[in-house]
């Protein structure tokens, strides 16, 4: 079985415990690879194709899709669609493209389905806790003000007209769904060759290396990405991890999570990580964030009810990591 050299933890908002780096790829003429820095991470793309040229062409196309999605969604860019939306005057209906409208439909539905544990309308809260910087604990007044300005309930989505209207000065943070959407856009582009894309914390694939069941992805220790815990085999869909980061955030001397619980405006207390497989990258991305916020007790119950493929990695006081997975996730584990 060929193991994907899937990197894990990216910088900024886009993190994961995911897969750990591994030895070099096997020397086969038809394996092509590309690396690029995008979406705040070192992206790795690989494909097997009949010729090197066609493989490289396929990866070039995939890279173009990722770059265009980043240009559309990233709030690090002033001219992205999301930045424009975040700056729209209150009460102004902002028109979305078909692709963005489709994405928003799923995003709004997931906020509802996850009981608001996933809610990207929390730009004010991630700013108050300096989640994209080095972390800070806001005073109670600032926290209350940020909570008032948070939640997609403050941004009206009209699915029929494909518009979003800000009813208050709330902003969207794409940290928990941008990578998943980008990977889905690649998947929808109809690449023929078996491919795998690792965006650090989220890996999508279609097909597998010749003669293999799929791409082997290593799941790492939540606090040490060099330590491989077990492998899963990915043949389709997407594997998203929320949790352990190489970039620690500290507030008031305490390490805090990159994940805010929108229900109380505070960092989620869970200290492990959670891995989710879903046929949709967007859904996997959003669900891993929601499940991180829910924590393993509520999260496992919810995941089982929804028949989701979910695995929690729960560090114990003695340093051992407890692995708890739903039956759907167990099916992905490598023998
Ligand atoms: P992920 O690694 O996919 O779980 O995404 C984490 C990132 O999503 C954070 O760095 C924030 O940018 C953003 N975020 C944090 N908490 C939430 C939340 N409860 N719902 C939506 N986005 C969040
Ligand atoms: Mg996510």
């Amino acid at each position: 079985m060929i193991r994907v050299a899937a990197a894990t933890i990216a910088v900024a908002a886009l993190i994961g415990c995911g897969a750990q780096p591994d030895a070099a790829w096997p020397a086969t003429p038809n394996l092509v690879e590309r690396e690029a820095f995008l979406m705040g991470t070192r992206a790795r793309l690989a494909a097997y194709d009949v010729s090197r040229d066609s493989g490289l062409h396929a990866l070039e196309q995939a890279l173009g899709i990722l770059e265009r999605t980043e240009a559309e969604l990233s709030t690090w860019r002033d001219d992205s669609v999301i930045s424009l939306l975040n700056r729209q005057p209150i009460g102004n209906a902002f028109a979305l493209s078909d692709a963005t409208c489709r994405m928003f439909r799923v995003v709004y539905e997931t906020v509802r389905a996850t009981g608001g544990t996933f809610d990207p309308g929390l730009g004010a809260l991630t700013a108050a806790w300096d989640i994209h910087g080095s972390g800070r604990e806001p005073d109670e007044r600032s926290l209350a003000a940020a909570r008032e300005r948070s939640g997609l309930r403050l941004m009206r989505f009209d699915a029929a007209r494909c518009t979003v209207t800000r009813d208050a000065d709330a902003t969207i943070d794409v940290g928990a769904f941008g990578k998943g959407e980008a990977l889905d856009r690649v998947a929808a582009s109809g690449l023929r060759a078996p491919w795998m894309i690792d965006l650090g914390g989220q890996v999508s694939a279609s097909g597998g290396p010749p003669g293999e069941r799929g791409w082997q992805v290593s799941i790492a220790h939540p606090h040490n990405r060099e330590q491989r815990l077990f492998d899963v085999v990915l043949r389709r869909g997407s594997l998203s991890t929320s949790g352990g980061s190489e970039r620690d955030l500290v507030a008031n001397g305490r390490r805090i999570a990159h994940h805010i619980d929108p229900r109380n405006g505070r960092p989620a207390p869970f200290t492990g990580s959670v891995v989710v497989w879903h046929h949709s990258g967007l859904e996997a991305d959003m669900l891993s964030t929601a499940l991180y916020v829910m924590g393993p007790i509520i999260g496992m119950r919810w995941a089982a009810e929804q028949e989701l493929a979910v695995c929690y990695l729960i560090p114990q006081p003695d340093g051992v990591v407890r692995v708890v997975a739903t039956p759907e996730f167990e099916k992905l584990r490598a023998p």
Side-chain angles (χ1 to χ4, degrees):
M1 177 73 72
I2 289 152
R3 183 172 300 140
V4 169
T8 16
I9 319 244
V11 294
L14 307 161
I15 55 167
C17 79
Q20 62 189 12
D22 195 38
W25 289 87
T28 139
N30 298 335
L31 170 67
V32 286
E33 293 177 89
R34 277 291 309 265
E35 272 195 15
F37 192 82
L38 51 93
M39 309 199 112
T41 193
R42 186 175 64 103
R44 297 186 64 253
L45 298 83
Y48 281 89
D49 212 340
V50 283
S51 79
R52 203 176 149 69
D53 279 355
S54 59
L56 281 173
H57 179 71
L59 292 190
E60 212 49 52
Q61 270 183 301
L63 205 51
I65 294 169
L66 296 175
E67 282 166 353
R68 285 193 294 281
T69 312
E70 181 181 26
E72 186 180 324
L73 300 183
S74 173
T75 47
W76 298 101
R77 301 180 185 217
D78 276 351
D79 59 349
S80 75
V81 170
I82 301 294
S83 293
L84 290 176
L85 169 58
N86 282 345
R87 290 201 305 271
Q88 277 303 295
I90 289 164
N92 221 25
F94 181 78
L96 304 170
S97 70
D98 286 352
T100 317
C101 187
R102 245 190 325 271
M103 176 189 78
F104 268 99
R105 207 167 281 151
V106 183
V107 165
Y108 273 77
E109 170 52 25
T110 306
V111 172
R112 193 198 57 74
T114 61
T117 47
F118 164 80
D119 186 338
L122 46 47
L125 278 168
T126 50
W129 288 93
D130 193 25
I131 292 291
H132 300 299
S134 46
R136 136 180 20 99
E137 178 151 9
D139 59 45
E140 288 304 319
R141 255 188 53 198
S142 320
L143 182 59
R147 287 186 69 189
E148 258 172 46
R149 287 177 46 221
S150 287
L152 275 194
R153 69 196 156 80
L154 302 173
M155 301 174 99
R156 238 177 320 129
F157 174 52
D158 184 332
R161 292 194 173 83
C162 280
T163 59
V164 177
T165 309
R166 297 199 316 147
D167 288 330
D169 188 21
T171 56
I172 289 180
D173 181 319
V174 298
F177 68 92
K179 283 184 184 180
E181 171 68 8
L183 289 166
D184 278 353
R185 290 188 187 182
V186 173
S189 72
L191 294 182
R192 272 181 311 106
W195 59 269
M196 179 288 303
I197 301 177
D198 170 16
L199 289 184
Q202 186 157 4
V203 185
S204 282
S206 171
E212 305 285 353
R213 275 174 49 221
W215 305 84
Q216 190 146 334
V217 180
S218 298
I219 305 298
H221 189 292
H223 301 161
N224 175 15
R225 66 191 182 122
E226 301 303 323
Q227 192 183 331
R228 175 175 142 244
L229 295 180
F230 60 89
D231 291 343
V232 296
V233 179
L234 184 64
R235 187 168 182 87
R236 63 189 183 92
S238 196
L239 207 55
S240 168
T241 304
S242 289
S245 167
E246 67 186 3
R247 196 178 62 89
D248 272 351
L249 292 179
V250 178
N252 227 354
R254 267 186 317 124
R255 192 191 163 276
I256 59 163
H258 292 240
H259 301 84
I260 301 288
D261 186 337
R263 298 166 300 183
N264 62 16
R266 295 177 182 278
F270 182 47
T271 59
S273 57
V274 56
V275 189
V276 178
W277 177 88
H278 200 282
H279 62 81
S280 150
L282 175 60
E283 302 248 12
D285 198 356
M286 298 185 294
L287 289 173
S288 68
T289 305
L291 286 158
Y292 188 95
V293 171
M294 287 182 205
I297 296 172
I298 307 278
M300 275 303 287
R301 200 180 311 146
W302 189 78
E305 278 165 20
Q306 316 284 319
E307 297 181 10
L308 294 169
V310 170
C311 173
Y312 277 93
L313 306 173
I314 313 165
Q316 305 295 298
D318 60 3
V320 172
V321 175
R322 229 178 99 219
V323 178
V324 188
T326 61
E328 289 75 13
F329 190 92
E330 288 293 349
K331 289 180 200 152
L332 300 171
R333 280 176 80 147

